Amino acid sequence: MPKTALITGASSGLGAEFARQLAATGADLVLVARDREALDRVAAKVRARYGVAVEVLPADLLKRRHLARVVARVSDAERPIDLLVNNAGFGLRLDFAANDIEDEVKHLHLHVEVPMRLSHAALGQMLPRGRGRIINVASVAGFIPRATYGACKGWLISFSRWANDRYAARGVTTTAVCPGYTHTNFHQRMGLAPGKEGVPAWMWLDARTVVAEGLRDAAHGKAVSVPSLRYRALIALTRLVPASVAIRFGERGR
C-alpha cells in the first residue's frame, strides 16, 4: 500500500471515499479541493478514526496558480507521493450546443489538462524511484458516446492504457477507474435532486464498492477498472450494437 496518497476532489463523493479507504490501510494523505472547510472536515474525521497524517491543500484547479501549487507538491521528491488519484471533476448538461462554451472549456481543462499535468509531475518523481501508482477516475461514459463528458473520459481511459503499458515495467502503474452512476453529490452539484436524475435504480452503484474495486485493480496493475459486473456487461453489449443505439443509450440519465 502507498505511504502517501494525493487525492484531488477530496472534499466529498468518491474523493472522500478514496481518502477513507486509503487511510484505513495506513496511508498518509494530501487532500486537494476548492472548499477548505469541507476538506478540513474530511481531514479531521480521517485523522480521528485512522490516526494518519493528513495535509490539506486547498486549490481551485481551474486557476493556474492554484494548479501550479498542486503540481509542485506532486513533484516534491523530498515529500514523495506514492499514489496520485485524479478525481476532481464536474458534469454539464448533455446539450453541447446549448451549453456556455466557456463552461465547456473549463470542463475540458479539469477533466483532461489537469490530470495530464499532475500525471506528468507524478511520473517525474515516481519513475526515478521505480515505484508509484496513478489512478484516473474516468467513467463508463468513456466507452459510450455521451457529449463532451464521454469524450473527456475516453481520453483518460486511452491515456491510462498507454501509460500503464509504457511505464509499468519501470514500476509505475496507471489505472483508469470507470464507474457507472454512483451515489455521490455529483448530480446534486448539477442542480438535480436525488431521484430526479432519470436513472433506473438498478444502475446505481455504491461509492464504497467503486473505490474498493478500483484500489484492488490498481494494486494488481490493471490499466482499466470497471466496477461491477453489470457495467462490464453493458460495455460489452454496446460494442455489439450499432453506434446510433449506443448513442441513444448514452443519452439516458443526466
Side-chain angles (χ1 to χ4, degrees):
M1 274 293 143
K3 294 180 181 178
T4 303
L6 185 146
I7 306 163
T8 67
S11 59
S12 63
L14 289 177
E17 186 61 33
F18 270 108
R20 288 187 287 268
Q21 293 197 27
L22 286 165
T25 71
D28 293 332
L29 304 175
V30 181
L31 305 182
V32 179
R34 292 181 301 172
D35 189 333
R36 175 63 184 256
E37 292 185 1
L39 279 180
D40 284 339
R41 287 193 294 270
V42 173
K45 290 178 181 178
V46 168
R47 290 190 193 105
R49 181 169 182 178
Y50 302 106
V52 299
V54 183
E55 177 185 344
V56 170
L57 182 54
D60 181 345
L61 296 173
L62 291 173
K63 296 181 178 178
R64 292 291 177 180
R65 68 182 187 280
H66 289 211
L67 176 56
R69 289 204 302 266
V70 182
V71 168
R73 179 62 184 88
V74 174
S75 302
D76 189 348
E78 299 300 317
R79 297 181 296 161
I81 299 298
D82 303 285
L83 169 62
L84 167 65
V85 181
N86 284 311
N87 170 71
F90 67 93
L92 294 172
R93 306 285 177 167
L94 295 180
D95 189 350
F96 170 72
N99 286 343
D100 185 289
I101 189 58
E102 294 306 320
D103 289 339
E104 288 283 1
V105 170
K106 291 175 183 176
H107 181 266
L108 178 69
H109 173 66
L110 189 59
H111 286 271
V112 175
E113 183 181 350
V114 167
M116 180 175 66
R117 288 184 180 276
L118 293 178
S119 294
H120 187 267
L123 288 166
Q125 60 95 358
M126 290 175 178
L127 289 173
R129 293 187 290 116
R131 66 181 185 278
R133 294 178 194 162
I134 298 170
I135 291 177
N136 292 316
V137 178
S139 170
V140 166
F143 299 97
I144 303 166
R146 188 176 168 84
T148 52
Y149 184 78
C152 289
K153 296 304 187 179
W155 184 93
L156 270 181
I157 294 167
S158 179
F159 174 75
S160 298
R161 282 175 166 155
W162 173 85
N164 195 60
D165 184 74
R166 181 67 176 81
Y167 299 117
R170 297 173 61 183
V172 182
T173 61
T174 302
T175 302
V177 176
C178 305
Y181 293 106
T182 305
H183 285 298
T184 66
N185 63 345
F186 181 87
H187 289 87
Q188 288 173 265
R189 288 164 56 200
M190 294 175 63
L192 299 172
K196 301 298 183 180
E197 307 93 344
V199 180
W202 66 268
M203 294 184 73
W204 287 101
L205 301 176
D206 178 76
R208 288 173 295 179
T209 302
V210 168
V211 171
E213 290 194 29
L215 288 173
R216 180 199 64 199
D217 288 343
H220 291 158
K222 290 187 177 182
V224 177
S225 170
V226 181
S228 91
L229 178 60
R230 79 195 81 160
Y231 275 104
R232 291 193 288 273
L234 281 172
I235 290 170
L237 180 63
T238 61
R239 292 170 178 160
L240 301 176
V241 300
S244 59
V245 175
I247 290 171
R248 286 197 295 275
F249 177 79
E251 292 289 326
R252 297 196 65 178
R254 295 167 72 182

